[in-house]
Amino acid sequence: MIYEIRAKKYMDVGSISLERYYKNKAKAEEVVEKLNEYLNGMYFVNEIKLEDEEQK
């Protein structure tokens, strides 16, 4: 599993990727926490399953 940081869109439904990926969920959440100090609630962590994980 990898963790991607995403930002919510203002006017549109959905989100966009910041193209920042982490193997460690705690590290990704720490980065999101720091980003949200500037724009509260704007950023979040998205979990991405890798192909080999889906086959198991």
Side-chain angles (χ1 to χ4, degrees), residues 18-35:
L18 296 184
E19 297 185 19
R20 299 291 305 265
Y21 303 94
Y22 296 89
K23 291 181 180 177
N24 184 322
K25 185 176 184 178
K27 177 64 177 169
E29 289 174 344
E30 179 182 322
V31 171
V32 164
E33 187 177 313
K34 288 184 181 187
L35 288 170

Side-chain angles (χ1 to χ4, degrees), residues 5-8 28-45:
I5 297 179
R6 298 188 66 86
K8 296 177 185 175
E29 289 174 344
E30 179 182 322
V31 171
V32 164
E33 187 177 313
K34 288 184 181 187
L35 288 170
N36 279 331
E37 287 177 10
Y38 301 100
L39 290 171
N40 192 24
M42 184 70 178
Y43 303 96
F44 63 96
V45 175

